[in-house]
Amino acid sequence: AGSAAQESASIVGSAWGAATDDRSGASMLCAATTLSSFALCLLPLHSTVPVNRDLVVNTATRNGGSIGRRQFVSGALATVFAGSCMSAPAYAAARAGSMPAEIKLLATKAKALREAVRTGAGERRKSPMDMAPGVNNYEKLTTRVLRDREAVLLPLQAALAAYAATASLPNSEFQKQLALQPLLMKGHLLELDQAVAQLQFDQYVSKSTGRTYPGGKVERELEEVSDTIDDFFELAANRPAPQHED
């Protein structure tokens, strides 16, 4: 059982890495959805087997058409929604207020961190920048991100995993996708660590969407965290995760 769980966690990590866009240079493979479904069938909802960091962050570029991570996460959901034993509005109404206050608070703080990086980086560049090698011109933002990583993002990821492990949704496919979201967030946090370590707060333009991020790749990863939170909340209410432009 342990080896099967480890194998499934590795497959999930591989599928996640293949779904990242221009940040890692990897393209989405059509087989990723099948692999992730296989992995989730093997991996118990209560499992805490860690995802392989190398698979998450360094998955190599593959040939074939690329699609966004959100399409990977929710592309198969439309076909199974009709099979739910309770309608989405009815279940959402039944679940109203059931999300723990701790998760709601941490989610609000996580989104506020993204906005702080977005506005703070732009404001910092309005002042003279020290171009000397090794100087961190975004020291205050770096401190804020590192502090909130420990106080907000990591506790939030753990809280989402705990919630998913005990949730019981009418739709089994939504249940699997709900369990996947904390793993996706773990991957985003690994890439956030990399962006912060490289001080990537300079303005960044996404190659896939053309969207501009004044807070650089740090902001981009925090956006991914925010979108994953939104997906989690929708799935927890027995609704399909929304489509996001990658």
Side-chain angles (χ1 to χ4, degrees):
S3 60
Q6 185 67 49
E7 178 187 4
S8 60
S10 296
I11 293 173
V12 172
S14 296
W16 185 92
T20 57
D21 58 7
D22 50 282
R23 299 180 314 285
S24 65
S27 295
M28 179 56 163
L29 300 177
C30 293
T33 302
T34 302
L35 290 173
S36 63
S37 298
F38 168 73
L40 286 168
C41 288
L42 290 177
L43 186 63
L45 291 180
H46 64 273
S47 175
T48 57
V49 176
V51 175
N52 185 296
R53 180 189 178 106
D54 291 335
L55 289 174
V56 170
V57 179
N58 298 316
T59 300
T61 301
R62 312 288 180 86
N63 293 328
S66 62
I67 63 175
R69 182 189 70 79
R70 273 65 187 209
Q71 290 170 288
F72 157 60
V73 172
S74 58
L77 300 186
T79 59
V80 299
F81 174 71
S84 174
C85 62
M86 185 186 297
S87 70
Y91 188 80
R95 295 281 293 177
S98 65
M99 188 66 67
E102 175 196 11
I103 291 180
K104 292 180 180 179
L105 178 60
L106 290 172
T108 298
K109 290 182 176 180
K111 291 174 179 287
L113 176 60
R114 185 258 173 122
E115 186 59 30
V117 169
R118 180 178 178 85
T119 58
E123 287 298 318
R124 174 63 188 89
R125 288 192 293 273
K126 291 179 181 179
S127 301
M129 303 286 280
D130 189 340
M131 305 309 294
V135 173
N136 182 4
N137 286 288
Y138 301 98
E139 185 173 357
K140 289 184 178 180
L141 281 180
T142 301
T143 300
R144 167 74 183 274
V145 173
L146 292 176
R147 182 192 70 197
D148 282 10
R149 177 187 181 276
E150 299 299 319
V152 177
L153 301 180
L154 290 179
L156 176 58
Q157 192 275 336
L160 295 184
Y163 183 95
T166 59
S168 180
L169 302 183
N171 188 304
S172 62
E173 185 62 28
F174 291 171
Q175 182 84 46
K176 293 177 182 178
Q177 297 298 336
L178 185 73
L180 180 60
Q181 301 311 305
L183 295 177
L184 293 174
M185 181 175 290
K186 183 179 290 187
H188 294 317
L189 294 181
L190 290 174
E191 290 206 338
L192 175 65
D193 290 347
Q194 184 178 30
V196 173
Q198 297 175 1
L199 303 179
Q200 293 180 325
F201 292 94
D202 290 336
Q203 183 168 290
Y204 163 71
V205 179
S206 170
K207 295 177 182 178
S208 62
T209 67
R211 185 182 300 166
T212 298
Y213 295 89
K217 291 189 176 182
V218 173
E219 181 196 344
R220 174 70 171 113
E221 290 308 323
L222 289 171
E223 179 187 70
E224 291 277 18
V225 168
S226 294
D227 288 347
T228 302
I229 294 169
D230 292 341
D231 292 351
F232 187 92
F233 276 41
E234 288 300 299
L235 290 164
N238 203 48
R239 295 189 293 258
Q243 294 290 328
H244 303 278
E245 183 182 10
D246 281 329

Short mmCIF file of all heavy atoms in Angstrom, two decimals, residues 81 86-96 237-239:
data_model
loop_
_atom_site.label_atom_id
_atom_site.label_comp_id
_atom_site.label_asym_id
_atom_site.label_seq_id
_atom_site.Cartn_x
_atom_site.Cartn_y
_atom_site.Cartn_z
N PHE A 81 -21.11 16.14 -14.14
CA PHE A 81 -21.94 16.96 -13.26
C PHE A 81 -23.38 16.46 -13.21
O PHE A 81 -24.02 16.43 -12.15
CB PHE A 81 -21.90 18.41 -13.72
CG PHE A 81 -22.84 19.29 -12.94
CD1 PHE A 81 -22.57 19.60 -11.62
CD2 PHE A 81 -24.00 19.78 -13.51
CE1 PHE A 81 -23.43 20.40 -10.89
CE2 PHE A 81 -24.86 20.57 -12.78
CZ PHE A 81 -24.58 20.88 -11.48
N MET A 86 -27.20 15.27 -6.03
CA MET A 86 -27.84 16.49 -5.55
C MET A 86 -27.42 17.62 -6.46
O MET A 86 -26.26 17.70 -6.86
CB MET A 86 -27.39 16.78 -4.10
CG MET A 86 -28.12 17.98 -3.47
SD MET A 86 -27.44 18.39 -1.83
CE MET A 86 -27.81 16.91 -0.92
N SER A 87 -28.33 18.50 -6.83
CA SER A 87 -27.97 19.60 -7.73
C SER A 87 -26.96 20.51 -7.05
O SER A 87 -26.92 20.63 -5.83
CB SER A 87 -29.22 20.40 -8.10
OG SER A 87 -29.71 21.12 -6.98
N ALA A 88 -26.14 21.18 -7.87
CA ALA A 88 -25.13 22.09 -7.33
C ALA A 88 -25.75 23.20 -6.48
O ALA A 88 -25.27 23.47 -5.38
CB ALA A 88 -24.28 22.67 -8.46
N PRO A 89 -26.80 23.89 -6.96
CA PRO A 89 -27.39 24.95 -6.11
C PRO A 89 -27.89 24.43 -4.78
O PRO A 89 -27.69 25.06 -3.73
CB PRO A 89 -28.53 25.49 -6.99
CG PRO A 89 -28.11 25.18 -8.39
CD PRO A 89 -27.42 23.85 -8.29
N ALA A 90 -28.54 23.24 -4.82
CA ALA A 90 -29.09 22.70 -3.57
C ALA A 90 -27.96 22.34 -2.61
O ALA A 90 -28.04 22.64 -1.41
CB ALA A 90 -29.95 21.47 -3.87
N TYR A 91 -26.91 21.70 -3.13
CA TYR A 91 -25.81 21.31 -2.25
C TYR A 91 -25.07 22.54 -1.73
O TYR A 91 -24.69 22.60 -0.56
CB TYR A 91 -24.83 20.40 -2.98
CG TYR A 91 -23.79 19.82 -2.06
CD1 TYR A 91 -24.08 18.74 -1.25
CD2 TYR A 91 -22.52 20.37 -1.99
CE1 TYR A 91 -23.14 18.20 -0.39
CE2 TYR A 91 -21.56 19.85 -1.13
CZ TYR A 91 -21.88 18.77 -0.34
OH TYR A 91 -20.95 18.26 0.51
N ALA A 92 -24.87 23.54 -2.61
CA ALA A 92 -24.19 24.76 -2.19
C ALA A 92 -24.97 25.45 -1.07
O ALA A 92 -24.39 25.95 -0.11
CB ALA A 92 -24.01 25.70 -3.38
N ALA A 93 -26.29 25.44 -1.22
CA ALA A 93 -27.12 26.05 -0.17
C ALA A 93 -27.00 25.27 1.13
O ALA A 93 -26.92 25.85 2.22
CB ALA A 93 -28.58 26.10 -0.62
N ALA A 94 -26.96 23.94 1.02
CA ALA A 94 -26.84 23.10 2.21
C ALA A 94 -25.49 23.30 2.90
O ALA A 94 -25.37 23.17 4.11
CB ALA A 94 -27.02 21.63 1.84
N ARG A 95 -24.45 23.64 2.07
CA ARG A 95 -23.11 23.79 2.61
C ARG A 95 -22.80 25.22 3.03
O ARG A 95 -21.71 25.50 3.50
CB ARG A 95 -22.08 23.38 1.55
CG ARG A 95 -22.14 21.93 1.16
CD ARG A 95 -21.46 21.05 2.17
NE ARG A 95 -20.03 21.28 2.20
CZ ARG A 95 -19.19 20.69 3.04
NH1 ARG A 95 -19.66 19.84 3.93
NH2 ARG A 95 -17.89 20.92 3.00
N ALA A 96 -23.76 26.13 2.84
CA ALA A 96 -23.51 27.54 3.14
C ALA A 96 -23.03 27.70 4.58
O ALA A 96 -23.64 27.22 5.52
CB ALA A 96 -24.79 28.35 2.93
N ALA A 237 -18.31 23.23 -2.70
CA ALA A 237 -19.74 23.50 -2.79
C ALA A 237 -20.41 22.62 -3.84
O ALA A 237 -21.55 22.86 -4.23
CB ALA A 237 -19.98 24.97 -3.11
N ASN A 238 -19.68 21.59 -4.32
CA ASN A 238 -20.18 20.65 -5.32
C ASN A 238 -20.47 21.34 -6.66
O ASN A 238 -21.42 21.00 -7.35
CB ASN A 238 -21.44 19.94 -4.83
CG ASN A 238 -21.65 18.62 -5.56
OD1 ASN A 238 -20.73 17.81 -5.69
ND2 ASN A 238 -22.87 18.39 -6.04
N ARG A 239 -19.62 22.30 -6.99
CA ARG A 239 -19.69 22.97 -8.29
C ARG A 239 -18.37 22.77 -9.03
O ARG A 239 -17.32 22.65 -8.39
CB ARG A 239 -19.98 24.46 -8.13
CG ARG A 239 -21.34 24.79 -7.53
CD ARG A 239 -21.61 26.27 -7.60
NE ARG A 239 -20.72 27.04 -6.75
CZ ARG A 239 -21.05 27.55 -5.57
NH1 ARG A 239 -22.29 27.35 -5.09
NH2 ARG A 239 -20.20 28.24 -4.86
#
